[in-house]
Amino acid sequence: MKKLLFQFDTDAHPSVFDTVVAYDGGADHVIGHGNLNPGNVGALVDGAIFTRAPKTKKNTAIFIGGSNITAGQELLIAVQQHFFPGFQVSVMLDSNGSNTTAAAAVAKLASSKSLVGKKVVVLAGTGPVGQRAAAMMALEGAKVSITSRNILNAELACAAMKARFNVKLTPLQAADDTERAAAIKEANIVLTTGATGVELLKPEHWQDNPHIEMLADANATPPLGIGGIDVMDKGRLRHGKIIWGAIGFGSLKLALHRACIAKLFEDNQQVLDAEIIFELAKQMA
Ligand SMILES: NC(=O)c1ccc[n+]([C@@H]2O[C@H](COP(=O)([O-])OP(=O)(O)OC[C@H]3O[C@@H](n4cnc5c(N)ncnc54)[C@H](OP(=O)(O)O)[C@@H]3O)[C@@H](O)[C@H]2O)c1
């Protein structure tokens, strides 16, 4: 029986990246649907849960993606609300790689050094990756702040993570190089999760900082999020600090994403969201 993955995307065009990884993770067919929301997803879920016998339902699964993590979270809840005993399929949430990228970055940082009690600043942490990474580090026992160019965005991101994970994050405004340098002054760990191709930190802002022990950057497109590092850095020491570049931890992200897709087809009960994906990342890291 063919393994079918239904890619439910909150954006107009289902993510090509997610389609490729879905095939590489073991799906036989990937069927993408765009512009989905809680109001229009019901019939698609019904089609997934009613069509196969109990023993073979594990060969149908749902992947939720898109650039908006809040919309993704709402779609995951709506999909699950259509399930009832005996009629459900496995489902995974990974809007913009939020869970798999965040989990890989945080698991690699945690594999280098304990995060417990550390002061962490997630620069430009208001996107899907930054929000989830901040929450995961807080769950690991770190004291985490999220910066944004606009304090309101940072406050909204912290409130969203409080609502979802019951973690206390601190919102900070850091709109330019000077404010970002000030935001990381007392930090032990810095993670940059800004938009593709945006430099957030210059070398002189971190290289001589005596408090900083580790830095990681999610942005693989030049210019990198952190000046003075290499995208391939894999826990490399630079200026006495442990550095994880975007491709340095990106190989774990891809392996993790594929492993999660494979896991979806193990049975029809899986709900792969941040907690389970992060646990898997720590095992794989
Ligand atoms: N390494 C990997 O395996 C991997 C996998 C997936 C994604 N990624 C990368 O992870 C990063 C984060 O992804 P995402 O989807 O969470 O990012 P995103 O939503 O596109 O951007 C994150 C935040 O960056 C800030 N930002 C946007 N333009 C900026 C600018 N010109 N200057 C300063 N800040 C700016 C915005 O925050 P405010 O408006 O609140 O300031 C935004 O919320 C991206 O670089 C993406 O390419 C890496």
Side-chain angles (χ1 to χ4, degrees):
M1 181 171 273
K2 300 284 186 205
K3 291 178 187 154
L4 304 181
L5 187 73
F6 290 92
Q7 194 184 337
F8 289 178
D9 209 291
T10 56
D11 291 349
H13 302 289
S15 156
V16 171
F17 185 105
D18 292 340
T19 306
V20 174
V21 184
Y23 281 109
D24 293 347
D28 294 315
H29 289 292
V30 183
I31 305 96
H33 294 272
N35 273 332
L36 292 193
N37 60 60
N40 63 14
V41 80
L44 297 177
V45 179
D46 289 347
I49 64 177
F50 284 121
T51 36
R52 285 170 159 177
K55 279 189 180 161
T56 54
K57 268 195 215 308
K58 67 176 185 181
N59 294 305
T60 304
I62 294 171
F63 177 95
I64 297 174
S67 58
N68 184 329
I69 180 65
T70 306
Q73 281 175 200
E74 288 167 359
L75 195 59
L76 174 63
I77 291 167
V79 165
Q80 289 177 284
Q81 281 171 345
H82 280 270
F83 295 164
F84 55 96
F87 292 87
Q88 73 179 81
V89 297
S90 289
V91 56
M92 170 176 175
L93 171 64
D94 202 26
S95 301
N96 249 21
S98 51
N99 282 324
T100 50
T101 306
V106 177
K108 282 297 188 187
L109 284 167
S111 75
S112 297
K113 240 177 196 194
S114 167
L115 305 182
V116 177
K118 299 291 183 190
K119 284 186 191 166
V120 178
V121 176
V122 183
L123 287 177
T126 49
V129 175
Q131 288 187 42
R132 292 272 158 150
M136 287 171 191
M137 288 192 279
L139 290 171
E140 286 292 285
K143 297 168 197 152
V144 187
S145 303
I146 282 183
T147 79
S148 166
R149 290 168 296 177
N150 174 336
I151 189 67
L152 188 61
N153 282 353
E155 287 169 353
L156 287 172
C158 293
M161 292 303 95
K162 169 88 179 152
R164 170 62 181 79
F165 298 99
N166 195 26
V167 290
K168 187 179 177 308
L169 307 176
T170 305
L172 294 175
Q173 179 161 309
D176 55 26
D177 285 344
T178 311
E179 288 186 359
R180 284 189 288 266
I184 65 156
K185 218 166 176 189
E186 307 276 307
N188 307 124
I189 299 169
V190 177
L191 172 64
T192 50
T193 56
T196 301
V198 175
E199 187 188 65
L200 296 170
L201 270 190
K202 299 207 174 296
E204 59 270 27
H205 292 145
W206 62 269
Q207 287 177 343
D208 296 326
N209 182 317
H211 302 290
I212 296 177
E213 300 166 25
M214 299 198 282
L215 300 98
D217 177 28
N219 164 32
T221 307
L224 302 179
I226 303 176
I229 72 163
D230 192 284
V231 72
M232 303 302 290
D233 283 347
K234 282 192 171 194
R236 178 178 170 167
L237 266 186
R238 290 183 186 270
H239 303 272
K241 299 157 197 344
I242 297 166
I243 311 287
W244 285 97
I247 305 292
F249 72 79
S251 47
L252 174 61
K253 180 255 158 17
L254 273 173
L256 175 65
H257 191 156
R258 290 189 201 113
C260 289
I261 298 292
K263 204 170 169 56
L264 289 174
F265 296 110
E266 286 176 4
D267 59 52
N268 69 329
Q269 310 284 319
Q270 308 278 336
V271 180
L272 302 185
D273 197 353
E275 293 88 345
I276 292 176
I277 294 172
F278 186 39
E279 280 311 310
L280 193 56
K282 285 193 280 188
Q283 288 165 25
M284 292 174 70

